[in-house]
């Protein structure tokens, strides 16, 4: 999106922890600006670090069949977009991150390193939420006619299916789920979505038998 006219001075940016949506004429209504550091240890700068919206979203579904066996799947892809990982920030502040005691690049602990780095580098907690998910997959088998007749005298056909949902996720995001977010963040007035203590998506499995008469 492009803001074509804005009758007031630009506003936003910076915000909680050095990053939020910045509204300005000629800019994007979903642009996130925050603190950044020039490579090589240069001074801190205020720059655009991403967009809350993804570059694109797509789903790919397919079904493969070989004789009596068939395989179907649904892939869900989202590329780009950033949100604030408020879960990780809160855990670091309270000293109970899962990797709080892990060694950091500067010799300290990760739970200490990340909050300090965030003061100059907003991308520490404002993270890429691109993902590829295997949303659904199923395997079906057409039961041979001889077995069908033994099980169901009047049946013409039978199919057994094993299926699952939310099976796998690939993402650089370091929080619980890149697809779950609050928008806007409650009480932070940053204008950008954030994820805080979201439940992991439930992984479900089903087994069923379909009989035709």
């Amino acid at each position: 999106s492009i803001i074509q006219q804005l009758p007031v001075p630009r506003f936003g940016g910076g915000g909680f922890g050095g990053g939020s949506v910045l509204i300005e004429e000629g800019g994007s209504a979903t642009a996130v600006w925050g603190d950044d550091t020039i490579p090589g240890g240069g001074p801190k700068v205020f720059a655009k670090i991403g967009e809350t919206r993804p570059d694109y979203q797509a789903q790919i579904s397919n079904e493969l069949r070989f004789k009596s066996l068939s395989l179907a799947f649904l892939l869900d892809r989202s590329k780009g977009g950033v949100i604030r990982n408020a879960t990780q920030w809160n855990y670091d502040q309270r000293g109970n991150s899962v990797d709080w005691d892990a060694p950091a690049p500067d010799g300290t602990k990760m739970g200490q390193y990340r909050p300090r780095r965030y003061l100059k580098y907003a991308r520490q907690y404002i993270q890429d939420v691109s993902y590829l998910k295997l949303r659904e997959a199923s395997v079906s088998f057409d039961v041979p006619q001889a077995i069908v007749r033994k099980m169901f005298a009047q049946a013409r056909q039978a199919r057994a299916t094993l299926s699952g949902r939310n099976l796998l996720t690939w993402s650089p995001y370091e929080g619980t789920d890149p697809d779950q977010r609050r928008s806007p963040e409650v009480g932070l007035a940053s204008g950008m979505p954030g994820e805080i203590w979201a439940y992991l998506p439930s992984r479900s499995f089903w087994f069923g038998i379909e009989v035709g008469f």
Side-chain angles (χ1 to χ4, degrees), residues 40-187:
K44 182 173 69 174
V45 297
F46 186 65
K48 181 179 177 180
I49 58 177
E51 293 270 349
T52 61
R53 59 166 178 77
D55 298 330
Y56 69 84
Q57 292 179 298
Q59 288 188 332
I60 300 173
S61 61
N62 206 345
E63 183 174 357
L64 306 174
R65 187 173 181 85
F66 178 73
K67 296 183 178 179
S68 298
L69 195 66
S70 62
L71 169 67
F73 60 86
L74 174 64
L75 292 172
D76 192 359
R77 169 66 168 159
S78 180
K79 174 64 170 66
V82 296
I83 66 172
R84 190 188 317 281
N85 189 345
T87 299
Q88 190 180 55
W89 182 85
N90 273 280
Y91 284 156
D92 282 346
Q93 296 298 316
R94 288 156 178 78
N96 55 5
S97 304
V98 65
D99 61 344
W100 202 94
D101 289 318
D106 64 354
T108 62
K109 298 180 179 181
M110 287 301 300
Q112 301 168 327
Y113 171 76
R114 282 189 294 254
R116 285 201 305 270
R117 190 167 183 258
Y118 193 35
L119 298 176
K120 293 184 178 181
Y121 192 71
R123 288 187 179 91
Q124 180 63 60
Y125 293 114
I126 299 176
Q127 299 172 0
D128 182 7
V129 285
S130 299
Y131 63 79
L132 174 64
K133 292 189 174 188
L134 179 58
R135 288 283 189 189
E136 297 178 1
S138 65
V139 178
S140 299
F141 175 70
D142 291 334
V143 182
Q145 287 288 336
I147 298 178
V148 173
R149 294 192 189 97
K150 290 181 179 180
M151 296 174 59
F152 307 99
Q154 303 300 321
R156 293 182 295 104
Q157 60 184 23
R159 169 178 287 192
T161 301
L162 176 64
S163 60
R165 183 170 176 80
N166 291 326
L167 299 175
L168 294 170
T169 299
W170 297 271
S171 175
Y173 182 60
E174 299 176 11
T176 50
D177 184 10
D179 206 19
Q180 297 191 33
R181 62 193 70 182
R182 292 185 181 181
S183 181
E185 288 180 347
V186 177

